[in-house]
Amino acid sequence: MKRLRIATGLALLLVSLIGFWTYAPSPAQACSCAMPGTPAEHLERADAVFSGTVVDVKQNTMGYITKRVLFEAETTWKGVDETQVVVATGGGGGDCGYDFEEGESYLVYAAESTMYGDEERLVTTICDRTASLGAATEDLAYLGEGRPPATKVDFDLQGLAEERGAVGESTDPALRQASFWGIGIVLAAIFLYVVWNRRKAGK
């Protein structure tokens, strides 16, 4: 009976550990940024530079917290031809995510990256020169007038999430399934070991 209780306890512990490993957010790591570059340097390495107003922010909590931010683009200097742009960023708290507020206007430097998911998409962080328009006077002076986006679009963040998969959901479902199969095998092995020992003791 004592062995059975021990086996049950081990099984519950293993199930708890695999559940935590599979579904818990990744531990936050301290965000470390290099010395801030000049507007010219950030313009050179960015794939998209534009100013716009935040229309919607969607947060994803599967795997680790990330955000998709929908902008109504007003002026573009690089890489943006549509009137709306979706940019990914982190949830904050050590992952370098930028805290965008709905209804506020920003100058955004973004680059194609897999930093917040398995798929490459436009990403911006606090290490870029992304800033509210009121705090971006030096950058705006350097960038000049820019131009308005040429193509009118109307995006829906929920629809984009269903098409492309949620940002930050980087844990492969197949890996999760394999993990649970592994746990099942371990539990079965423990059960058979306990049964075998009980029968052996009864002889």
Side-chain angles (χ1 to χ4, degrees):
M1 192 67 181
K2 183 178 180 181
R3 287 175 177 171
L4 182 60
R5 287 198 297 268
I6 292 173
T8 302
L10 287 172
L12 291 173
L13 176 61
L14 286 169
V15 169
S16 300
L17 288 173
I18 196 64
F20 177 81
W21 176 80
T22 306
Y23 291 106
S26 299
Q29 298 179 348
C31 177
S32 178
C33 301
M35 290 293 291
T38 65
E41 291 170 337
H42 281 262
L43 176 64
E44 173 66 24
R45 64 174 176 246
D47 293 307
V49 180
F50 67 95
S51 66
T53 302
V54 175
V55 177
D56 195 9
V57 179
K58 286 286 189 294
Q59 181 169 288
N60 171 67
T61 55
M62 290 294 291
Y64 51 88
I65 297 175
T66 58
K67 295 176 183 177
R68 286 171 295 122
V69 186
L70 176 62
F71 289 90
E72 188 72 33
E74 295 152 5
T75 306
T76 175
W77 289 272
K78 183 179 181 181
V80 172
D81 294 316
E82 297 177 328
T83 55
Q84 290 191 334
V85 186
V86 179
V87 176
T89 193
D95 64 2
C96 297
Y98 194 99
D99 187 19
F100 290 104
E101 294 185 18
E102 196 169 327
E104 295 296 318
S105 296
Y106 298 86
L107 173 65
V108 180
Y109 292 82
E112 293 284 346
S113 172
T114 57
M115 182 174 181
Y116 297 115
D118 293 332
E119 181 181 328
E120 276 207 349
R121 64 195 77 206
L122 287 176
V123 164
T124 191
T125 71
I126 58 174
C127 298
D128 301 312
R129 289 187 67 91
T130 294
S132 63
L133 280 184
T137 52
E138 179 186 354
D139 297 69
L140 292 171
Y142 171 79
L143 293 170
E145 290 186 5
R147 61 178 177 80
T151 305
K152 176 71 175 177
V153 293
D154 187 13
F155 291 148
D156 171 56
L157 281 183
Q158 187 62 38
L160 288 173
E162 292 171 358
E163 285 181 22
R164 302 177 60 183
V167 172
E169 193 171 355
S170 57
T171 303
D172 189 345
L175 181 59
R176 290 182 176 178
Q177 187 177 13
S179 299
F180 279 106
W181 273 107
I183 285 297
I185 292 171
V186 171
L187 293 178
I190 292 173
F191 177 77
L192 291 173
Y193 175 79
V194 172
V195 170
W196 179 76
N197 275 275
R198 291 184 67 185
R199 286 183 177 178
K200 185 178 179 181
K203 290 182 179 180

